[in-house]
Amino acid sequence: MGRLVHFEIHVDDMERAKKFYGEVFSWRFEDWSEYAGMPYFGAVTGEDHELGINGALMKRQSPPPEANQPLNGFACTMGVEDYDATEAKILSNGGKIAMPKYALPGMAWQGYYIDTEGNIFGIHQPDENAK
């Protein structure tokens, strides 16, 4: 039993982070702050019948990651249908490119971004013709 069942994204500005993930990935949020004892919003990332997991945005409890430091935690990667359209949404909503789009030959397009809170995440578009 080591299956991933929940994720948490640490944020400085809850409303800004909710707007970013809501606009880019169409996530919905539920206020679970009363249960957590701090600002904590459940992230509904898709429909129950779809493959994937839900998670949460939580108030950051320590300094944010430093610019240009190597990743020292988990990076969540979201599956997308249209890589280029998703990248445009990321950039227009305040995100930045951390590692540009590259091919996983014969499998997919992959890349990494920095959200409005300084966290790194990936996007992945399956494509057998990627090269």
Side-chain angles (χ1 to χ4, degrees):
M1 285 286 306
R3 185 176 173 104
L4 185 62
V5 297
H6 182 78
F7 65 85
E8 293 174 330
I9 300 172
H10 296 232
V11 306
D12 294 313
D13 185 319
M14 188 64 72
E15 292 307 312
R16 179 177 64 198
K18 285 170 35 183
K19 180 180 183 312
F20 179 81
Y21 285 99
E23 292 289 329
V24 173
F25 297 111
S26 300
W27 291 1
R28 297 183 326 270
F29 298 95
E30 300 171 354
D31 189 349
W32 297 345
S33 301
E34 183 178 332
Y35 305 110
M38 69 169 79
Y40 194 95
F41 283 79
V44 179
T45 65
E47 300 302 319
D48 288 341
H49 66 275
E50 295 176 328
L51 182 63
I53 63 171
N54 294 323
L57 302 178
M58 67 178 287
K59 183 70 175 163
R60 190 182 308 279
Q61 303 295 302
S62 63
E66 302 252 345
N68 300 315
Q69 84 178 43
L71 184 64
N72 63 359
F74 285 101
C76 293
T77 297
M78 275 60 83
V80 300
E81 291 183 21
D82 185 331
Y83 190 103
D84 295 330
T86 303
E87 179 181 76
K89 284 184 190 178
I90 291 166
L91 299 176
S92 69
N93 281 283
K96 298 176 183 160
I97 296 172
M99 177 181 252
K101 178 181 179 180
Y102 62 94
L104 298 170
M107 183 194 319
W109 295 104
Q110 180 77 30
Y112 292 89
Y113 297 84
I114 302 169
D115 71 8
T116 55
E117 309 308 300
N119 301 303
I120 295 175
F121 67 93
I123 62 173
H124 179 96
Q125 177 193 332
D127 183 352
E128 295 175 355
N129 299 312
K131 51 182 159 177

